[in-house]
Amino acid sequence: TQLLEQSPQFLSIQEGENLTVYCNSSSVFSSLQWYRQEPGEGPVLLVTVVTGGEVKKLKRLTFQFGDARKDSSLHITAAQPGDTGLYLCAGGWTGNQFYFGTGTSLTVIP
Amino acid sequence: GAGVSQTPSNKVTEKGKYVELRCDPISGHTALYWYRQSLGQGPEFLIYFQGTGAADDSGLPNDRFFAVRPEGSVSTLKIQRTERGDSAVYLCASSKNRVDTEAFFGQGTRLTVV
């Protein structure tokens, strides 16, 4: 059972375009993480958000945690081919494991 | 070691056989997790260890799946009477203490049941 739904499932864009990936759930989480995964590798943590409404920036990536701590978004500005990968959100509760979202496969075309 | 190590990296087995997948977490990490992942999908939670004990095994799909971590370090995921539907990448991760600290993933074991 996956508690978090991501949209879109697949995204193919041209280099330089902007994009937003959404992560939605009916559950309230104590924290939410975003990971990026490349083929043949395990997921690598990008960011953790813990406060409702929190916004974090990592270079061209902007992450937001919803006010109610049920959803999150990842916005990429001026996408580059190196951003290609599977983006995963994961929600958790203090002291327990994280549940991953359904994933968004991003392809940035040069 | 420097990172989470999983062995073997690939395993092909016949339907009905028994397999063991090994995970060496980062030294000193008390929390260890097993997930499995199908192509293009998000990892599916299987089991979470805190030290030697399974804190949550609610994700194990049935009684053919079992995992141990006898000394609080290395963990082994065991699958009995494998089925073709068990084919997936099995990921292991560890974190320093509990899950809301950063989890580091291994590269996974690709299991193929033929």
Side-chain angles (χ1 to χ4, degrees), chain A:
Chain A
T1 303
Q2 290 188 298
L3 300 177
L4 296 111
E5 292 290 330
Q6 289 183 237
S7 61
Q9 186 178 357
F10 298 97
L11 189 55
S12 182
I13 62 171
Q14 295 289 330
E15 181 176 1
E17 292 184 348
N18 302 331
L19 67 114
T20 302
V21 176
Y22 299 94
C23 173
N24 294 293
S25 176
S26 57
S27 299
V28 176
F29 296 102
S30 57
S31 62
L32 192 140
Q33 299 181 332
W34 283 93
Y35 290 81
R36 180 167 163 266
Q37 185 179 23
E38 297 192 33
E41 303 289 330
V44 175
L45 180 67
L46 296 174
V47 76
T48 301
V49 286
V50 297
T51 305
E54 182 176 4
V55 176
K56 281 192 174 179
K57 293 193 175 183
L58 184 66
K59 297 182 180 177
R60 294 176 293 101
L61 278 61
T62 302
F63 305 86
Q64 183 162 9
F65 201 11
D67 291 341
R69 290 186 287 124
K70 292 183 178 182
D71 53 79
S72 182
S73 64
L74 158 61
H75 182 78
I76 301 179
T77 303
Q80 299 177 1
D83 295 328
T84 293
L86 180 67
Y87 287 82
L88 298 159
C89 63
W93 300 272
T94 300
N96 289 286
Q97 72 289 345
F98 273 85
Y99 289 91
F100 280 87
T102 47
T104 295
S105 181
L106 171 65
T107 301
V108 181
I109 303 166

Side-chain angles (χ1 to χ4, degrees), chain B residues 51-113:
Chain B
T52 60
D56 187 341
D57 64 358
S58 63
L60 295 176
N62 51 59
D63 61 5
R64 296 187 297 105
F65 288 75
F66 189 70
V68 295
R69 195 185 184 199
E71 298 178 358
S73 177
V74 171
S75 177
T76 305
L77 178 65
K78 308 179 180 191
I79 310 175
Q80 299 177 323
R81 304 183 303 280
T82 51
E83 300 176 357
R84 292 196 178 90
D86 298 335
S87 296
V89 174
Y90 288 80
L91 292 166
C92 175
S94 70
S95 63
K96 214 169 199 178
N97 37 48
R98 56 186 200 183
V99 73
D100 47 359
T101 56
E102 182 175 0
F104 294 85
F105 281 82
Q107 292 186 317
T109 293
R110 180 176 297 281
L111 175 67
T112 304
V113 182

Side-chain angles (χ1 to χ4, degrees), chain B residues 2-16:
Chain B
V4 178
S5 175
Q6 291 188 246
T7 54
S9 55
N10 281 284
K11 175 72 176 177
V12 180
T13 190
E14 292 181 347
K15 179 174 176 294

